[in-house]
Amino acid sequence: MFKNKSYIGISFVILIFGIYAVPKIIDRIQDGSIVKGARLDNVSNEETKGDKLVLIGPVPKFDLTNQDNQKVTNEAYKGKVYVLEFFFTKCPSICPKMNVSMLEIENKFFGNPNFGIISITIDPEHDTPKVLKEHAAELGVRSSSWNFLTGDKAAIFDLSNKGFNLYAGENDKVNGGFEHSGLFALVDKEGNIRCRKDDFGNPILYYDGLDKKGVREIQQDITILLAE
């Protein structure tokens, strides 16, 4: 008899708690606050501002030759927002996809005098200015601010691996004989590498040129930098 009364009392307490708490829980689920702690709220607030991109550091200096056999340096792009990649014309794997992504970016900002693109070959022995000019024509490049650059092989590999910390290397076991990342660097008007933060509040450093999301994000951030 005593046990039955205890059970009835416990059931009554649970019922009262449910009447009071369940509507509040439902409200929190509907407004999304049920999944947000104080730390998550802080990260979310930083991510949704969108008005400040992380400054990584100054772009490494370079002095290379473009498809028109003209010298191009990092100083020539001061005052412009630009995207930079490493590639090579005979690349049979990721470069075609990178080309499509970069052409999409070119089309988005075509005609803007404050925007440019730089594509640096990691196979300069083959990719002469003449070859690069033919490659640009085959891609259908329209912008005069898109430079395809070549130069000393050792200097280019240092620029990629040490300057930008974007991997590039030779490997005779892979198709094409070279390996490199599919990442794009974003540079602001002052010559600084910039990027957004990931979902955890960490700088992404570079943008994935092989992924639609990465291409969409870099276009959004180009717009931000052009407005600065």
Side-chain angles (χ1 to χ4, degrees):
M1 183 70 176
F2 178 76
K3 287 184 178 180
N4 289 337
K5 289 181 178 179
S6 298
Y7 292 147
I8 293 171
I10 293 170
S11 299
F12 180 74
V13 170
I14 293 173
L15 176 63
I16 294 300
F17 174 79
I19 292 173
Y20 173 78
V22 169
K24 293 182 177 296
I25 293 173
I26 291 173
D27 288 341
R28 291 184 69 195
I29 291 173
Q30 290 175 339
D31 67 18
S33 62
I34 193 70
V35 297
K36 293 181 180 179
R39 292 173 64 189
L40 286 179
D41 283 340
N42 290 336
V43 171
S44 176
N45 288 339
E46 290 176 4
E47 288 301 305
T48 55
K49 287 179 182 176
D51 57 348
K52 293 293 182 183
L53 298 177
V54 180
L55 191 155
I56 303 303
V59 69
K61 293 181 179 180
F62 57 84
D63 186 346
L64 300 168
T65 303
N66 73 0
Q67 67 270 31
D68 295 316
N69 211 29
Q70 298 174 338
K71 288 289 184 181
V72 175
T73 70
N74 53 296
E75 290 296 321
Y77 273 77
K78 280 290 183 70
K80 291 181 183 290
V81 175
Y82 64 96
V83 179
L84 182 146
E85 67 171 346
F86 291 90
F87 85 114
F88 63 108
T89 61
K90 293 192 299 181
C91 174
S93 54
I94 65 175
C95 288
K97 175 61 176 174
M98 293 170 69
N99 291 337
V100 171
S101 297
M102 201 65 90
L103 285 167
E104 181 179 335
I105 295 170
E106 181 203 30
N107 289 334
K108 173 74 174 179
F109 299 98
F110 181 73
N112 191 319
N114 297 317
F115 177 72
I117 298 173
I118 293 178
S119 298
I120 303 176
T121 180
I122 59 172
D123 184 14
E125 293 175 355
H126 175 268
D127 292 341
T128 62
K130 181 177 181 295
V131 171
L132 292 177
K133 193 173 185 68
E134 292 171 351
H135 180 71
E138 289 173 3
L139 291 179
V141 172
R142 298 181 296 155
S143 175
S144 60
S145 293
W146 186 345
N147 280 298
F148 292 80
L149 303 182
T150 188
D152 178 75
K153 186 175 183 179
I156 289 174
F157 271 69
D158 279 347
L159 180 65
S160 178
N161 292 307
K162 298 178 181 179
F164 283 94
N165 199 27
L166 288 171
Y167 173 70
E170 291 186 86
N171 186 347
D172 57 11
K173 295 181 180 179
V174 300
N175 289 336
F178 292 88
E179 295 177 312
H180 63 101
S181 80
L183 300 177
F184 294 165
L186 177 59
V187 184
D188 67 17
K189 295 175 184 177
E190 300 300 319
N192 294 308
I193 300 170
R194 301 278 291 276
C195 73
R196 64 169 53 196
K197 296 178 181 178
D198 64 17
D199 293 337
F200 302 100
N202 302 310
I204 65 170
L205 301 181
Y206 299 111
Y207 298 78
D208 190 349
L210 303 173
D211 179 71
K212 290 183 178 180
K213 179 174 180 289
V215 176
R216 182 172 63 250
E217 289 177 346
I218 198 171
Q219 290 183 69
Q220 293 169 352
D221 294 346
I222 290 167
T223 301
I224 292 173
L225 293 184
L226 286 171
E228 286 188 348

